[in-house]
Amino acid sequence: MKQKPIDPGVDHLGAMRAFVRVVETGSFSAVAKETHVSTSTVARKVSAIEEALGVPLLHRTTHSVTLTEAGRIYHERAITLIADLDDTLRVVAELNAQPSGPLKLTAPVAFGRRYLAPLVAPFLEQHPTIQLDVRLTDNHNDLVAGGFDLDIHEGENYLDNLIVHRLSRNDSILCASPAYLDRSGRPSVPEDLAKLNCLRYVHPEGDPRWHFVNDAGRQSVLPVGNLTTDHSELLLEATCAGLGVAEFEIWLVRDLLASGQLEAVLPRYQMQSKLTGDFIYLAYLTNRRSSAKLRVLKDFLADRLRNVGELSEKEIQKIRG
């Protein structure tokens, strides 16, 4: 198609929104139903963009809608433009009003259950006009595609093009029940772990090895045992039951170490994990930086979760004996 000047009579923003929803739903009729217009009206909106640009954006068949190369580029830009516009409208609307409206947060499952669940009611009591949507998953969520305002995230992966606030260090420690260590022995160096039943957390992007650092340098051990899982709380239950030794982030086991239900293994070694990383972050998109409702949630969480993933010097001394 030959490119034409953009017709000033075309609602290009409305057509852009229709196009994005067609791509997301894979259906003109689905978009027509949700916007209460005819399917032909939605199709005309998309066709108007294609005519203005002079290139096809979609491959249409009876049963599917797929993007052309030009459509892929346009779709990526359109998502950003729509998000920027919506954020601008939100910021202006919030200038003279209390923070209100929908706010979507994502976090890892175990972290959310232990630390976010007790904070939901206090936050909403302070800000009753906010509608909080909390999604817990151990798989990374794309903030743009998922429509998320804020992400609580372990490690340094997926932080490109985001604004980040460090909540805490994210220290890890090797643990076992005292009863298991009484039966199997307490290792003094990483090599001794070969004699123990090592329980492993697995993740598609994780390293199967355990990495230890002390004054002598860095050592790596490939743990071997009879349990492997992608669920940290299942792993914790098995460890507390005396099945073997496992690695956990401090935030998950702090209370169990303090109560004596779990005991630190090789406490004079520092553990390192590329998957969980060095820090716990709050992360959000640059176009959310001026959002009043995001700011109050970010400040609320930062205040209550400060240092959640690290041990104090007093705790370290107690663990090391």
Side-chain angles (χ1 to χ4, degrees):
M1 283 185 283
K2 184 178 179 181
Q3 185 172 0
K4 300 179 182 180
I6 294 178
D7 184 347
V10 173
D11 174 13
H12 200 91
L13 178 60
M16 181 184 294
R17 288 184 184 276
F19 169 78
V20 169
R21 288 299 295 146
V22 167
V23 174
E24 290 171 345
T25 62
S27 168
F28 283 86
S29 59
V31 178
K33 185 176 180 179
E34 70 183 23
T35 55
H36 307 291
V37 299
S38 66
T39 302
S40 61
T41 297
V42 176
R44 281 197 299 270
K45 287 183 178 183
V46 175
S47 295
I49 302 175
E50 294 177 317
E51 290 174 9
L53 297 175
V55 291
L57 301 179
L58 296 172
H59 294 298
R60 300 164 173 84
T61 68
T62 304
H63 302 293
S64 67
V65 176
T66 57
L67 288 167
T68 64
E69 179 62 20
R72 183 187 61 77
I73 295 170
Y74 183 88
H75 180 250
E76 290 176 357
R77 302 291 182 90
I79 288 175
T80 301
L81 286 170
I82 291 170
D84 285 342
L85 175 62
D86 289 345
D87 187 60
T88 300
L89 296 174
R90 281 194 299 268
V91 170
V92 174
E94 291 172 355
L95 285 177
N96 295 313
Q98 63 178 327
S100 63
L103 194 56
K104 198 170 182 181
L105 168 68
T106 182
V109 176
F111 189 94
R113 286 164 58 93
R114 285 180 175 247
Y115 292 98
L116 294 184
L119 297 178
V120 168
F123 175 76
L124 292 177
E125 286 171 2
Q126 289 185 22
H127 304 282
T129 55
I130 288 177
Q131 292 91 49
L132 190 61
D133 182 346
V134 181
R135 304 298 177 95
L136 302 182
T137 176
D138 289 329
N139 295 316
H140 174 69
N141 268 314
D142 184 298
L143 269 66
V144 174
F148 291 100
D149 297 286
L150 190 63
D151 174 29
I152 295 180
H153 184 77
E154 297 176 280
E156 289 64 50
N157 300 317
Y158 313 114
L159 294 181
D160 292 345
N161 304 316
L162 298 176
I163 297 175
V164 297
H165 171 85
R166 286 182 182 177
L167 274 178
S168 169
R169 287 200 321 267
N170 194 30
D171 298 339
S172 293
I173 194 166
L174 211 59
C175 300
S177 71
Y180 175 79
L181 295 174
D182 287 343
R183 295 195 310 270
S184 304
R186 288 169 172 79
S188 56
V189 292
E191 290 84 352
D192 292 343
L193 292 171
K195 305 171 187 175
L196 302 181
N197 191 34
C198 297
L199 318 177
R200 290 200 300 119
Y201 176 85
V202 292
H203 188 278
E205 299 175 20
D207 185 338
R209 296 169 296 173
W210 287 345
H211 301 285
F212 300 88
V213 178
N214 68 355
D215 294 339
R218 178 185 173 99
Q219 290 177 263
S220 297
V221 171
L222 183 63
V224 177
N226 61 1
L227 176 65
T228 300
T229 179
D230 63 351
H231 197 290
S232 58
E233 289 177 303
L234 186 155
L235 187 68
L236 184 58
E237 290 277 351
T239 305
C240 290
L243 185 61
V245 179
E247 177 187 8
F248 298 101
E249 294 99 318
I250 289 297
W251 57 260
L252 188 56
V253 295
R254 171 185 271 109
D255 56 338
L256 298 171
L257 289 169
S259 69
Q261 190 172 349
L262 287 180
E263 179 179 328
V265 175
L266 299 174
R268 297 188 178 277
Y269 288 81
Q270 179 183 350
M271 299 199 74
Q272 293 184 335
S273 169
K274 186 176 180 180
L275 178 64
T276 56
D278 297 325
F279 296 95
I280 301 171
Y281 297 92
L282 290 172
Y284 53 97
L285 297 166
T286 56
N287 62 11
R288 297 290 196 273
R289 72 171 78 229
S290 301
S291 169
K293 61 186 176 182
L294 173 59
R295 184 172 63 254
V296 296
L297 177 59
K298 177 175 68 70
D299 292 346
F300 180 90
L301 295 176
D303 179 61
R304 286 157 179 77
L305 298 176
R306 185 178 296 112
N307 303 326
V308 68
E310 54 196 76
L311 293 174
S312 66
E313 285 299 321
K314 184 176 180 180
E315 288 173 315
I316 292 172
Q317 292 303 319
K318 182 179 179 180
I319 286 173
R320 290 180 176 176

